[in-house]
Amino acid sequence: MFYHSIIQQFNQPMWQPFWLTFRLAAITTVVLLLIGVPLAGWLALSRFRLKPLVEAVVSLPLVLPPSVLGFYLLVALSPVQGPGRWLADTLGVRLLFSFEGLVLGSVLYSLPFMVHPVQAGLENLPPSWREAAYTLGRSRTDVLWRVLLPNAKPALLTGIVLTFAHTIGEFGLVLMIGGNLPGQTRVASIAIYDAVESMQYDTAHVYSALLLAISLAILLLVYTVNRRFRL
Amino acid sequence: MNQVPVRHIARQMFTFRTVGLSLFLPLAFSLFVSAQPLRVAVAANAQFVMEPLRAAFQQQTGIGIEPVTGSSGKLTAQIQQGAPFDVFLSADMEFPNALFQNNLTLGAPVLYAYGTLVLWTGPSRGRPIQLGELPGESVRRIAIANAANAPYGEAALAVLHHYKLYEKVQAKLVFAESIGQVNQYIQTGAADVGFTAKSVVLAPGNRHRGYWRQMPVESHRPIAQGAVVLARTGRPAEARRFLLFLKTPTARLILLRYGYRLP
């Protein structure tokens, strides 16, 4: 009963954008762990002609204006044409203006924030460890999962935390493909914009201060953890 | 050199995820248990009148409303891309008519009010700026909604042309993406004055936020505002009820109080 009333308190519409933001950031981080770590490992351990191209494509979301990504996703996921139409007609799935669509957008948008730290962390480990493992007959996968990653924990943590924090800060992309739907796509950054546009400045102040505090806390965590491991 | 198997990291991460999910799941569940309110796309001019309308509608019918505000043009574009709204309250008849022509609505748009344009000055001036002062030196920036997306912006341009002011003030115009952004420009001082909707300046929270002058009705085409039920709605009966509600004396009184003229 007590637990239920706490849930009620936090379920007020005012806090919905924050739960939504955290859910989005958490799910995006998990997905990017599954996709990004193997990708980072592959990039760290491989050498091939097209590697600069792959790395450039992975880094694109760092440089591209979010509205470009948003625009292309809007075109791709639109239910009246192309892949979006196939998704809607065949699978009954509409990704535009939905939480799932935001997850897709966030995964693309935050990809470099997972891949870069992990790749850098792996590349900075002494190559002799890798080579020793190879001479002992270990495969590349084994080397990645049993030798390198366990020793690149700070890099992994940095990747997780940066991905999480970066997704919290997403705005332009969500503005274009989100639709500002309360409880579904009205994340904290959009809620602030919405509050300012409807002249609810006190709400905007509360939301902004909270986001600022959380972002600062996350960054403090990253820097503290990295300092401890550098001993 | 510590060879900690990835199993350990995986277990730590799994624990984090379990803790995280077990915090989120009850929240997510409780969101599902409550009934889904009607999602109404509202043109920004009506965002403030929407609040008493919503309250009255809920009191009368028990149906909740979740308004989503934006410029008429942007909301129309989103609806064309399949945005899940039940009802659309536009600031004109053209946008809902376009949706009707494309079979995106249940029925033709219904005229629910005529909008009124005002010139709004921020509180620092102490008095409303008059139309005739716009070309003068004391006015540096004039906020106007983008006419392509916002019918009130189109009406504002018509007013400027009607009084032969357009050429003199053209360089000072600042285009906002919606009435909402016009209001924001005026309130933050980014613009000295702007053209907004009367329902904005009459909203209880906004009366002390500046000074306004109503624009003469004959200086622009009537801002005929249309409402329509969207084909994508999962609740056509309730959506239609809201449209009917807009014609009731209760709703009309609220609209009048907020400065709209009635059909």
Side-chain angles (χ1 to χ4, degrees), chain A residues 111-131:
Chain A
L111 179 68
F113 288 82
M114 178 62 80
V115 171
H116 280 185
V118 175
Q119 185 186 347
L122 291 172
E123 282 170 349
N124 281 333
L125 294 171
S128 54
W129 294 4
R130 198 190 317 162
E131 284 156 9

Side-chain angles (χ1 to χ4, degrees), chain B residues 155-221:
Chain B
L157 284 178
V159 170
L160 289 174
H161 281 289
H162 180 91
Y163 291 106
K164 313 261 189 286
L165 291 169
Y166 182 70
E167 281 77 27
K168 296 182 222 168
V169 303
Q170 192 181 8
K172 305 188 200 186
L173 292 179
V174 170
F175 293 96
E177 59 143 344
S178 69
I179 287 290
Q181 209 179 40
V182 168
N183 300 336
Q184 187 219 104
Y185 284 167
I186 299 169
Q187 285 305 308
T188 54
D192 302 295
V193 68
F195 288 94
T196 186
K198 192 169 176 186
S199 62
V200 171
V201 299
L202 289 185
N206 297 336
R207 286 171 196 257
H208 64 285
R209 283 186 155 155
Y211 307 91
W212 54 274
R213 292 265 310 164
Q214 183 163 325
M215 294 294 98
V217 173
E218 62 272 11
S219 58
H220 60 86
R221 232 166 31 125

Side-chain angles (χ1 to χ4, degrees), chain A residues 56-77:
Chain A
V57 169
V58 165
S59 307
L60 264 179
L62 276 176
V63 183
L64 269 183
S67 44
V68 174
L69 189 55
F71 175 59
Y72 282 137
L73 276 175
L74 198 62
V75 170
L77 299 177

Side-chain angles (χ1 to χ4, degrees), chain B residues 120-160:
Chain B
W120 201 23
T121 312
S124 56
R125 291 268 176 155
R127 61 170 186 84
I129 291 178
Q130 316 283 339
L131 261 180
E133 297 175 72
L134 289 182
E137 275 181 15
S138 63
V139 174
R140 267 159 317 180
R141 284 203 193 88
I142 305 165
I144 191 172
N146 183 350
N149 277 334
Y152 276 78
E154 206 183 299
L157 284 178
V159 170
L160 289 174

